[in-house]
């Protein structure tokens, strides 16, 4: 995995941890949660742009598991299991 992708995955994980910390607070800050979610989604989209369309499905699946499941992944899985 390229160092850029590794840095993006690390940033995504950091934002996920920040989100968890904010959500368990007695008085979570809704604006901060929205900003963190937007940043995390932007990173996920950036990772997706760096993956070539011909990238092996297994590599993409492993990478998206590192980032967390997305609706794209669920749709891909649904398509694979249909007869």
């Amino acid at each position: 995995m390229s160092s850029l992708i590794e840095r993006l995955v690390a940033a995504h994980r950091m934002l996920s941890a920040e989100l968890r910390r904010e959500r368990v607070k007695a008085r979570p800050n809704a604006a901060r949660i929205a900003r963190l979610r937007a940043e995390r989604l932007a990173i996920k989209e950036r990772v997706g742009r760096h993956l070539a369309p011909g990238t092996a499905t297994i590599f993409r699946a492993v990478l998206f598991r590192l980032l967390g499941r997305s609706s794209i992944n669920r749709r891909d899985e649904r398509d694979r299991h249909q007869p």
Side-chain angles (χ1 to χ4, degrees):
M1 196 171 352
S2 77
S3 63
L4 173 63
I5 299 294
E6 289 173 1
R7 287 194 315 264
L8 290 172
V9 168
H12 188 278
R13 284 182 177 166
M14 182 203 64
L15 289 169
S16 292
E18 284 293 317
L19 270 167
R20 281 191 298 274
R21 281 191 289 272
E22 188 65 36
R23 287 177 177 149
V24 299
K25 288 182 178 178
R27 297 182 67 136
N29 183 332
R32 183 163 191 256
I33 289 173
R35 182 183 54 79
L36 290 169
R37 289 183 71 200
E39 287 178 30
R40 189 175 66 169
L41 179 59
I43 289 172
K44 189 180 233 182
E45 290 172 349
R46 191 168 170 201
V47 168
R49 284 195 307 267
H50 286 283
L51 296 176
T55 304
T57 304
I58 291 176
F59 178 74
R60 290 179 64 88
V62 168
L63 186 59
F64 279 111
R65 289 210 192 279
L66 288 173
L67 296 177
R69 297 185 58 87
S70 71
S71 59
I72 293 169
N73 289 339
R74 283 188 226 109
R75 186 174 60 237
D76 289 345
E77 288 176 8
R78 221 179 18 247
D79 292 344
R80 272 186 291 204
H81 291 100
Q82 288 182 356

